Amino acid sequence: MNRKIALQLSGVERRYGQGDTVLSILKGADFSMRSGEIVALVAPSGTGKSTLLHIAGLLEKPDAGEVIINGESCGHLSDDRRTAIRRSEIGFVYQFHHLLPEFSALENIMMPQLISGLPRKEARDRASQLLDYMRIGHRGDHRPAELSGGEQQRVAIARAVANAPMVLLADEPTGNLDPETAHYVFDALEALVRQSGLAALIATHNHELAARMDRRVTLGDGLIQEM
């Protein structure tokens, strides 16, 4: 089956100034990922993992090179268009869940859908389906503080895919969890990726989880390298 390229980075460069010194983080990085594929990003701290994820997610602009999401070149787009692509085509999951504490699990998943203009009933129905899929449908009325760490992360994953994005970017999504819970959360994430056909790039220090993904890449000398 010929799966389409969901995310492509071509010749991406990113530099930061520190006084009179220029620090080059990415030096012409190339990378592509197809729909339905899970790729592990395994690299030491300080090598540019977060920078790479921010650029891939259109949160930062590269100094050179191109980012292509679902076939659309994003380098010269307006801020409004970049925001629209982030909202509809990209989902984010972080090490900390960042759920809104005053809202229930169900309402947290509804939020991005309502912002995108989906009618409230449709947003509620999809949020409920995602909670069931993540095996925590019975926890929909609970606020984040009433959920376990694994439950919080599963709600965060469900929220990230609520608008049916093409690309999921995750930065240490199981980093705060014990090994058993981490595997359980990854099982749910993997099943969601396979079922929905989105492409997932997951930064992790957990080599056991990385070994379960389709490919592993790392960062070295400002380039993305296959492991």
Side-chain angles (χ1 to χ4, degrees):
M1 181 178 175
N2 187 21
R3 299 174 298 179
K4 69 182 296 185
I5 295 177
L7 168 67
Q8 183 174 359
L9 307 181
S10 179
V12 167
E13 299 178 13
R14 188 69 174 106
R15 297 177 290 274
Y16 298 99
Q18 292 185 344
D20 295 331
T21 304
V22 175
L23 185 64
S24 292
I25 303 297
L26 298 175
K27 306 174 184 178
D30 296 317
F31 174 73
S32 65
M33 186 169 59
R34 294 184 179 274
S35 58
E37 185 177 31
I38 307 178
V39 180
L41 173 58
V42 184
S45 298
T47 54
K49 290 198 306 293
S50 294
T51 296
L52 175 63
L53 290 172
H54 287 169
I55 289 174
L58 307 185
L59 294 170
E60 284 187 44
K61 290 186 178 182
D63 294 303
E66 193 55 88
V67 179
I68 302 168
I69 305 286
N70 194 20
E72 182 169 1
S73 180
C74 302
H76 302 290
L77 298 178
S78 67
D79 287 342
D80 285 349
R81 179 57 187 154
R82 288 168 66 88
T83 298
I85 292 174
R86 277 199 304 272
R87 187 179 296 147
S88 64
E89 302 286 3
I90 304 170
F92 296 92
V93 182
Y94 299 98
Q95 184 170 346
F96 185 70
H97 57 78
H98 294 296
L99 298 173
L100 299 172
E102 65 271 31
F103 294 102
S104 70
L106 187 76
E107 290 166 338
N108 266 278
I109 301 170
M110 289 173 63
M111 202 66 65
Q113 301 177 77
L114 296 174
I115 291 171
S116 292
L118 202 69
R120 190 170 189 83
K121 184 183 183 307
E122 288 183 41
R124 177 175 287 276
D125 288 347
R126 176 159 172 77
S128 181
Q129 289 170 2
L130 284 168
L131 282 171
D132 286 342
Y133 193 84
M134 302 300 281
R135 299 182 183 178
I136 47 173
H138 60 294
R139 305 289 272 166
D141 292 334
H142 291 72
R143 293 186 179 185
E146 301 170 313
L147 303 174
S148 70
E151 289 170 339
Q152 290 169 345
Q153 260 327 53
R154 279 181 278 166
V155 173
I157 292 167
R159 180 183 60 182
V161 302
N163 283 333
M166 284 290 298
V167 175
L168 180 68
L169 303 172
D171 194 357
E172 297 288 347
T174 62
N176 282 333
L177 306 176
D178 64 81
E180 184 178 352
T181 305
H183 278 276
Y184 194 80
V185 168
F186 183 78
D187 286 344
L189 174 59
E190 181 180 25
L192 193 61
V193 170
R194 303 302 187 199
Q195 187 272 337
S196 64
L198 61 82
L201 177 61
I202 301 175
T204 183
H205 284 109
N206 188 322
H207 289 271
E208 233 180 295
L209 290 183
R212 294 175 54 186
M213 302 189 208
D214 298 319
R215 286 191 289 139
R216 289 179 294 167
V217 298
T218 189
L219 283 165
D221 195 27
L223 301 176
I224 301 171
Q225 304 167 351
E226 296 281 342
M227 294 179 70

